[in-house]
Amino acid sequence: MEAMAAKKKGTVESAEKRVAVGIDPSKSALQVSLLTPLTHKPCRQRLSLEPQAVNKLEELLQRHEAVIAIEGSHSVGQLFLLQLQERGHDVREVHPLLSKRFREAISEDHSDQKDADGLALLASWKDDLPMVSFSQEQAIYKRLSRLRTQLVRERSRYLNQLHACLVETYGISYKPLFGDLSAKKALRFFHEYPTINDALADATDIQQRVGPSAWEQLQEAGIWSESIYLRTEVRVLASQILSLKDRVAEVEREMAKLAEAPEVAELLKLPRVGLPTALAIAGNTGDIRRFEGDVNRYVAYAGLAPALYQSGAGGTSGRRRRRYNRYLQHAFMFLAFNMVYAQPLAREYYDRKRLEGKRHWAAIRALARHPCRIVFRALTKLKPPQEVVTSLT
């Protein structure tokens, strides 16, 4: 904590003496722009995103102290950022929306070089940009939770496509065959018998696998007189879903190994917080100390606190934030949504907000601020996690 405070103090005291560095990352390269106190013309360099990138950046700095502003620190270049942290560099996070608006205020032209130049200029005068601070473990939490979300989303998409195909070829008679289409037993069956014609052609095996009642319904539905064009599609979709189920199970096994980590275990004590949500919160929060004990900064970072808005003679009002960590907001919104259906106090709070005139998602967002504050206090040890329920009254 003292090191972080000293780093911030150094930023304020010597902002004019430090080299300002802007980095616009992409999947394979880093566009770097250096702005020194002695020149107004940036030094530009494009570095490959590889282990030697940090060494090459330090060569460009020539031992000068620097403040580094990077756009989208939660997207690419995590290993690069971890190595920068290990070597003691002051790295600041710039939300892509802020970077875009700042660059457009300078020039209407758009390129990676322009983006990096804007980031360097922003770093040279704005000394309150949030610090980038996270551990290798937190990077793992973040990547695994995102990977699981992506795989589950893909699995759901393929399941919907498979359902549509089966409705067309089996009709409604396919539903009584299995209670859960996503079960491996059902997927293997439809991979072997992708159409109702295929199922009716093997009476003995089908009766044993689905039972006499379901078999009778298949017989009543009848067969198609034409060749079934969906046969290949059903088999491919069933195979894809089976593969995705295995990949999700593999990721979840790796996630289970992280449940004993102190910050993850602390989050799992909270009501309605499962392992995927705990890892998403811990990974996207990063080092909780970078919020300097200010819970309001954390709530704003999660996109759950309204931004103040005032124009002309009108009064001050709140509007939704546009610069925030979307993964963190999604985790808290998901948590609040589950709380509405599982906790009476949470439901009462939600209903009260609805009566005040708030729309559904606005009321969910207001509810999500409570677990967000409790998570912050739990991670900073300011309050016990049990207050997630009692604080809603």
Side-chain angles (χ1 to χ4, degrees), residues 122-158:
L122 188 62
S124 68
W125 68 268
K126 188 171 176 58
D127 56 25
D128 62 345
L129 291 171
M131 296 181 64
V132 174
S133 181
F134 62 97
S135 65
Q136 182 174 344
E137 291 75 19
Q138 289 167 335
I140 295 172
Y141 304 158
K142 177 168 54 179
R143 301 299 296 188
L144 284 181
S145 63
R146 292 185 188 180
L147 177 59
R148 181 187 178 277
T149 298
Q150 292 167 0
L151 291 174
V152 170
R153 188 180 294 124
E154 283 291 294
R155 185 181 64 186
S156 299
R157 183 167 66 88
Y158 285 122

Side-chain angles (χ1 to χ4, degrees), residues 348-358 363:
E348 290 176 11
Y349 182 89
Y350 169 82
D351 291 339
R352 187 161 67 247
K353 291 299 177 182
R354 292 286 281 157
L355 289 174
E356 292 174 3
K358 291 185 179 293

Side-chain angles (χ1 to χ4, degrees), residues 55-74:
N55 293 335
K56 293 178 181 179
L57 177 61
E58 290 178 339
E59 289 176 7
L60 293 173
L61 292 175
Q62 299 179 354
R63 298 181 181 274
H64 290 295
E65 188 180 1
V67 55
I68 303 171
I70 184 166
E71 179 182 331
S73 65
H74 290 273

Side-chain angles (χ1 to χ4, degrees), residues 23-32 44-57 60 76-77 79-81 83:
I23 299 180
D24 183 40
S26 64
K27 293 181 179 179
S28 60
L30 303 166
Q31 181 63 48
V32 180
R44 298 164 176 165
Q45 186 75 35
R46 189 173 181 85
L47 306 177
S48 297
L49 189 56
E50 59 188 11
Q52 287 297 321
V54 175
N55 293 335
K56 293 178 181 179
L57 177 61
L60 293 173
V76 296
L79 294 174
F80 172 74
L81 290 175
Q83 195 167 345

Side-chain angles (χ1 to χ4, degrees), residues 229-240:
Y229 68 94
L230 291 171
R231 182 174 285 117
T232 300
E233 186 173 354
V234 170
R235 282 178 172 157
V236 169
L237 289 172
S239 297
Q240 189 73 357

Side-chain angles (χ1 to χ4, degrees), residues 76-88:
V76 296
Q78 301 293 285
L79 294 174
F80 172 74
L81 290 175
L82 283 168
Q83 195 167 345
L84 283 177
Q85 288 184 151
E86 290 174 1
R87 299 193 184 184

